[in-house]
Structures are given as C-alpha cells and as structure tokens.
C-alpha cells in the first residue's frame, strides 16, 4: 500500500515494512496492518486542520478503515455518541473545545468510555504528554508523525479492544 501524503504536505511514497515494491505482502501474517484481509473499522478523526484531516483520512481509508471527520471537540462528542466509532484520533489545540477536554468527557461518559483515544498533537513537552494521558487517552503521539507508526498504534489498540 502506498501513502501519497506525508504530514509535511509533500508527496511521498512509503512502503510499509513487510511489503514488496509491487504491494504484495512479504513475511507477515494476514490481519496485520496493511494486509488486504484487514477487517477495518470506523475511526473518528478530530482535527481543525483540513490538511491533517485529509492526510489521516486518505491513509486510514487506504488501510480499509471507514473515517468520520470532526473539526473540534464539541463535534467530536456529538459524532462519537452518534456513530460509536471503534477508535478516535484527536488533536489537542482546536476551537470551541480542545482535545484534552473532549477526551476527558469521552472517557467519563459510559456510552463512549471504552472507545480507544489517540491524542495526536504538536504539543510535545513532557507536561503536555502527561496532561494528555491524564484524560484517559490510550496513546499520545506528537506531530509531525510517522503515518506507519500511527497505523500500527491504531491496529494495536483495535486488537486489544476486540
């Protein structure tokens, strides 16, 4: 599977580990990230930056996931309740409600508490990571990020949830 967008907005060609240049699977078992048999799932991507939204949407959809988009924490809470996604990837710095408050509310609500949350933020200080983890978020990744690492973390969290 090729990843046409990088975080920096340029065009890149990344070939995930375990894939030959022709896209065939090499040395990995079916069901791992990038395999054609992947079950997929629904992901809620929450970011106020349309470039990041598109990057994540394209990369997740190429891996077989369905993607629902939200532009801030308020919209994230509404869509999480309505859609019940399998996992949420959320930015921190957003208008109306930031990602930390949204993650806290999601984890405090019995209807959404079991949904894994990955915080994906440009805030990379130790205090920021600690604040992110204190919300109950399952993972905290910093921007710029490696799309393949994010896909691996998504797959691992979904596997743990299953």
């Amino acid at each position: 599977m090729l990843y046409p967008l990088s975080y920096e907005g340029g065009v890149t060609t990344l070939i995930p580990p375990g894939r030959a240049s022709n896209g065939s699977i090499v040395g990995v078992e079916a069901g791992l990230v990038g395999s054609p048999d992947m079950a997929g799932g629904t992901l809620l991507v929450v970011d106020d930056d349309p470039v990041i939204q598109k990057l994540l949407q394209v990369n997740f959809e190429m891996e077989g996931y369905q993607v629902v988009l939200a532009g801030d924490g308020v919209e994230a809470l509404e869509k999480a309740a309505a859609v019940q996604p399998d996992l949420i990837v959320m930015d921190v710095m957003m208008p109306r409600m930031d990602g930390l408050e949204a993650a806290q509310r999601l984890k405090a609500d019995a209807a959404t508490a079991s949904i894994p949350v990955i915080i994906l933020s440009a805030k990379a200080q130790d205090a920021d990571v600690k604040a992110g983890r204190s919300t109950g978020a399952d993972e905290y990744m910093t921007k710029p990020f490696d799309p393949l690492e994010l896909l691996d973390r998504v797959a691992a969290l979904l596997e743990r949830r299953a």
Side-chain angles (χ1 to χ4, degrees), residues 25-99:
I25 299 171
V26 177
V28 295
E29 297 176 30
L32 295 178
V33 170
S35 77
D37 306 330
M38 190 171 140
T42 301
L43 307 181
L44 174 58
V45 171
V46 188
D47 201 302
D48 61 326
D49 183 338
V51 172
I52 300 296
Q53 278 187 346
K54 190 64 174 175
L55 164 71
L56 294 172
Q57 181 179 20
V58 167
N59 285 327
F60 288 141
E61 287 178 350
M62 289 177 69
E63 291 298 319
Y65 296 105
Q66 292 181 1
V67 177
V68 176
L69 300 174
D72 60 46
V74 172
E75 191 178 359
L77 295 177
E78 293 166 358
K79 289 194 175 178
V83 174
Q84 287 293 307
D86 298 299
L87 185 136
I88 300 169
V89 177
M90 184 160 15
D91 187 20
V92 170
M93 296 180 289
M94 297 181 291
R96 295 200 303 166
M97 181 188 298
D98 70 29

Side-chain angles (χ1 to χ4, degrees), residues 128-146:
D128 299 319
V129 175
K130 191 174 188 178
R133 292 206 181 271
S134 74
T135 67
D138 300 88
E139 294 276 350
Y140 192 105
M141 291 182 66
T142 58
K143 297 176 185 174
F145 60 94
D146 177 353

Side-chain angles (χ1 to χ4, degrees), residues 1 15-16 18-28 36:
M1 189 78 41
I15 300 172
R19 290 216 175 250
S21 61
N22 67 0
S24 63
I25 299 171
V26 177
V28 295

Side-chain angles (χ1 to χ4, degrees), residues 1-13:
M1 189 78 41
L2 302 179
Y3 296 85
L5 300 173
S6 72
Y7 171 73
E8 291 79 19
V11 176
T12 59
T13 301

Side-chain angles (χ1 to χ4, degrees), residues 85-159:
D86 298 299
L87 185 136
I88 300 169
V89 177
M90 184 160 15
D91 187 20
V92 170
M93 296 180 289
M94 297 181 291
R96 295 200 303 166
M97 181 188 298
D98 70 29
L100 297 179
E101 184 177 345
Q104 239 172 354
R105 289 189 186 193
L106 287 163
K107 292 300 185 176
D109 184 342
T112 56
S114 67
I115 300 171
V117 175
I118 297 176
I119 293 179
L120 187 62
S121 177
K123 298 182 83 165
Q125 299 288 328
D126 286 339
D128 299 319
V129 175
K130 191 174 188 178
R133 292 206 181 271
S134 74
T135 67
D138 300 88
E139 294 276 350
Y140 192 105
M141 291 182 66
T142 58
K143 297 176 185 174
F145 60 94
D146 177 353
L148 295 176
E149 181 182 351
L150 178 59
L151 287 167
D152 285 345
R153 290 190 189 192
V154 166
L157 284 170
L158 290 175
E159 186 176 302

